[in-house]
Amino acid sequence: MTGHTTTHADNFARNQWYVAAWSSEVGRELLGRTVLGEPLALYRTEAGEPVVLADRCVHRRFPLSASGLDGDRVVCGYHGFTYDTTGTCVYVPGQKRVPRTARVTSYPVSEVDGMVWVWIGDPELADPATIRRAEHLTADGWVTVQGMEPIDADYGLLVDNLLDLSHETYLHGGYIGTPEVAETPITTEVDEKAGIVRVSRHMSDAECPPFYARSTGIEGRIRRLQDIEYHAPCLYLLHSRISPAGTDAPLFRTEITYAITPSAPGKVYDFWAVSRNFAVDDEEVTTFLRDFNHTVVMQDVDALNLLQRALDSEPAGYQELSINIDTGGLAARRILAGLAAG
C-alpha cells in the first residue's frame, strides 16, 4: 500500500465534539486552550457549570484567559470589559451604553465522564447525546491517572501512532513494549458510517513488560489482549486484558483512554488516562502508573515532534509506504477526511 503523506492538515471536522480539558482542570481560574484554531477561555460558574467563551476581548483582543472573574462574569484584565456566561458584554468602562456588537462567542459545552467537551461548529447541531462514552474514567471500582501533553505535530500523526501499537516494541521497549507486540498479526474492522475503527492484537504467550509486571505482580509470561476502538475524530479506547500465560485468571483489566484534540494546524493536544480495576487502594501502584505512563507518553511526544519536523523538510513528491499494520490508521484517515468534507 502506498499513499501521499500530508502534513499540517487544517481541514478539521468542525461539527464534532472535542475534549478541551479534563474536568479537574476547569475551575474558578480561567484556563486558555486552542481547539481547531479557535482560542478558548474556560471556567466554572459559582454553581460549578463549565463555560467556554472565545478567548479574545472584543475591544483590543486581550486574552480573557489571562483575565479574572467577578462572580460568574469575566472581567477583561486590560480595560475591564465584562462578559456574562453567554458572551454578552454587560459593562464597558467610562460609559453607560454597551455597544450592540460587544459580545464574544459562547460555545456549546458538555461535561461527560470527567472530560469537558466543546463544540466549535454550528451550535444548532450540538447534541451532547452523540458524545462517545468512556464510563470507566469516573465509574465506581476504577482508579484513573491522567494528564495532557501538547504536541507540535499534525493530529493525524497521533491517530496513526495510537492505531498502530507495533511501535511499542521499539519506541517503548523496557516500558510497555515487548517483541511479541510487533510480531503478532492484527485484525482490523472498520465501520466508516459510524466513524469507528477497531484494531485487535491478541498475544497468547508474551513477555510481561514492566508496566504490567510492577502493577499486577504477575511473574513470568502473560496472555495479553489489546482491543482498540477509535471513535473519530476524538476518542480512542484501548481495552487491555492481562492474565498469566495459559490461563484466563486472575484477569487484570486496564482501560487506556486518549482524547485526540486538534489545537491548530500542526498542533495537537494528547489527553491520556490509564484506568484500572485492580489494586485500587494501592497508592504505590497509582503513583507508579502515573509516572510510568507519563514517561511513555513523552516518548510519543518526542517522536512525533521529530517526525513532524522531518515531514516539514521533506521534498515534494515523496511517496509514503504503508503495510498491513497501517490498515487501521489508513481507515481513520479516510474517515477523518470524510468528516472534514462534511
Side-chain angles (χ1 to χ4, degrees), residues 22-324:
W22 292 112
S23 292
S24 58
E25 295 182 285
V26 182
R28 295 290 292 162
E29 298 275 327
L30 285 145
L31 172 69
R33 286 278 150 84
T34 301
V35 175
L36 307 194
E38 302 285 340
L40 309 176
L42 294 84
Y43 70 100
R44 285 188 193 278
T45 65
E46 290 179 324
E49 293 300 314
V51 178
V52 181
L53 300 180
D55 190 20
R56 296 288 183 268
C57 179
V58 293
H59 177 229
R60 289 292 180 264
R61 313 306 286 155
F62 190 79
L64 296 180
S65 60
S67 301
L69 292 174
D70 177 10
D72 289 345
R73 295 173 171 180
V74 179
V75 181
C76 178
Y78 195 15
H79 294 103
F81 278 61
T82 302
Y83 302 90
D84 66 15
T85 59
T86 70
T88 302
C89 184
V90 295
Y91 169 80
V92 298
Q95 64 185 61
K96 287 208 165 24
R97 190 183 70 81
V98 176
R100 200 166 39 81
T101 56
R103 62 185 306 114
V104 297
T105 301
S106 176
Y107 293 91
V109 58
S110 185
E111 191 165 15
V112 182
D113 298 328
M115 297 178 281
V116 175
W117 296 76
V118 66
W119 182 277
I120 300 297
D122 181 350
E124 296 292 316
L125 301 177
D127 178 3
T130 63
I131 293 174
R132 308 288 190 173
R133 300 300 304 272
E135 288 99 335
H136 53 269
L137 289 171
T138 54
D140 290 341
W142 289 82
V143 174
T144 296
V145 295
Q146 63 197 37
M148 189 280 284
E149 294 297 333
I151 308 178
D152 291 326
D154 182 80
Y155 83 110
L157 295 183
L158 182 55
V159 176
D160 279 352
N161 171 281
L162 294 172
L163 281 170
D164 170 24
L165 294 182
S166 69
H167 78 275
E168 288 183 352
T169 300
Y170 304 97
L171 191 60
H172 307 306
Y175 290 86
I176 58 175
T178 66
E180 293 83 10
V181 182
E183 291 165 3
T184 304
I186 59 168
T187 60
T188 306
E189 294 176 35
V190 182
D191 185 339
E192 297 217 12
K193 191 174 180 190
I196 302 172
V197 179
R198 293 184 172 88
V199 180
S200 294
R201 180 182 271 108
H202 291 180
M203 296 157 271
S204 59
D205 183 11
E207 184 185 321
C208 188
F211 183 84
Y212 289 111
R214 286 183 55 186
S215 59
T216 66
I218 292 179
E219 295 176 3
R221 297 180 70 80
I222 58 170
R223 181 169 175 259
R224 184 179 184 184
L225 311 182
Q226 294 177 328
D227 293 290
I228 295 167
E229 287 177 53
Y230 171 57
H231 299 267
C234 191
L235 189 65
Y236 170 101
L237 306 172
L238 167 57
H239 313 295
S240 175
R241 286 164 290 167
I242 302 289
S243 57
T247 71
D248 294 332
L251 180 67
F252 298 91
R253 286 180 58 201
T254 310
E255 296 288 341
I256 314 290
T257 308
Y258 284 89
I260 306 163
T261 299
S263 172
K267 292 182 182 296
V268 61
Y269 292 127
D270 181 354
F271 292 92
W272 60 269
V274 178
S275 308
R276 72 184 193 278
N277 69 347
F278 57 90
V280 292
D281 297 320
D282 192 325
E283 282 297 324
E284 277 187 48
V285 172
T286 299
T287 301
F288 166 71
L289 288 177
R290 179 187 294 113
D291 295 346
F292 211 75
N293 204 67
H294 179 253
T295 299
V296 169
V297 169
M298 291 309 299
Q299 290 171 336
D300 280 335
V301 171
D302 292 343
L304 294 179
N305 285 340
L306 185 62
L307 177 57
Q308 186 66 66
R309 290 200 297 273
L311 291 172
D312 286 345
S313 63
E314 197 67 56
Y318 167 69
Q319 286 284 310
E320 185 180 62
L321 171 68
S322 294
I323 58 174
N324 289 339

